[in-house]
Amino acid sequence: MAKTILVIGSSGQIGTELVLKLRQIYGNENVIASDIRVANYEVMKSGPFEILDATKKRDILKVIKKYKVKQVYLMAAMLSAIAEKHPHKAWSLNMTTLLNVLDLAKEKAIKQVFWPSSIAVFGSSSPKQNTPQETIMAPSTVYGISKVAGENWCAYYHDKYGVDVRSVRYPGIISYKTVPGGGTTDYAVEIFHEAIKNESYTSFLNANSTLPMMYMGDAIDATVNIMRHEKFDKYTSYNIAAISFSPKEIAKVIKKFIPKFSINYKSDDRQAIADSWPQSIDDKQAKRDWNWNYNFDLESLVKLMLNGLNYKI
Ligand code: SER
């Protein structure tokens, strides 16, 4: 049976591609895109779109009723670097939207929720390598604080009200359709645009600043698959992992395809955020519980990015 899905934040980096994938699977008319600003052309022309401010619960409910929505993917959020500049706004946006959607699930207006968490839940006191699913989570960023709190709210609504909410902790996500806005891992997308345009890039993270990363295709698979999986007894926001690399390492692979490419380093405020995050993630629980695995390694990611940005390799 077709289910009607609402994606909130469909103009963002992940939302854009999530809508397109969900439309492929469930049919264009069954996936409603929504955001406070219009989405990219492909999203706008392939199915329904609503302008929606997710901080207003009544407005979300209106869209849910209009389309008889069963499932909500809440992708609207303020990312790490920009949240450091606007702490109150970030907290308010990230929390209000989540509590609105969780309340709607509690009130049975919808049946199922997806909410993205992040590697930003971890902080300097968490293990840096193979960071386990369950470990100390004392983030040093506003964004991380909102994600830890969000995970706890999801667990609370699940345990107390039986809300079916599912979640993964995304690493840095790399894609070519929509650029990320205001994150710490954004360099790994910018580097491709600059490599193609100028054959050089000045990284705002240090040469050896290793972070967990993932190609968008894998992130979308994780999202779709965790929502489809039958087994779901206990709320957990799952660690998911693919590849880890530093600016220096990705630059080396780009150079294979663009020989004149060169990279410089000039770190800024985002370095401290990166330094507080894990370098690699242990995702064995996601592998065990819902067969998670990734497909794209660093070399295939670089090829896909260059192709996607119309650079002939
Ligand atoms: N990519 C995100 C950021 O950099 C992490 O979740 O903020």
Side-chain angles (χ1 to χ4, degrees), residues 13-14 78-82 117-121 143 147 169-173 180-186 211-213 273 277:
Q13 188 202 12
I14 303 176
M78 197 184 283
L79 290 186
S80 61
I82 188 146
S117 187
S118 160
I119 55 162
V121 292
Y143 177 68
K147 289 295 181 189
R169 294 175 181 145
Y170 290 128
I173 308 294
T184 302
T185 53
D186 295 12
L211 287 171
M213 300 278 189
I273 302 177
W277 286 354

Side-chain angles (χ1 to χ4, degrees), residues 41-101:
Y41 180 69
E42 251 182 299
V43 169
M44 297 300 290
K45 77 157 193 217
S46 59
F49 175 85
E50 295 278 339
I51 289 284
L52 177 62
D53 176 356
T55 60
K56 305 216 163 64
K57 187 179 159 200
R58 259 213 308 216
D59 294 0
I60 309 176
L61 185 59
K62 241 198 246 166
V63 176
I64 286 173
K65 283 190 169 154
K66 178 171 170 190
Y67 294 96
K68 300 192 171 55
V69 168
K70 300 276 184 293
Q71 226 184 32
V72 172
Y73 291 71
L74 173 58
M75 311 309 287
M78 197 184 283
L79 290 186
S80 61
I82 188 146
E84 288 305 291
K85 299 201 160 66
H86 310 281
H88 285 252
K89 218 171 140 188
W91 174 258
S92 159
L93 174 74
N94 294 357
M95 288 297 99
T96 311
T97 52
L98 175 61
L99 289 172
N100 281 346
V101 172

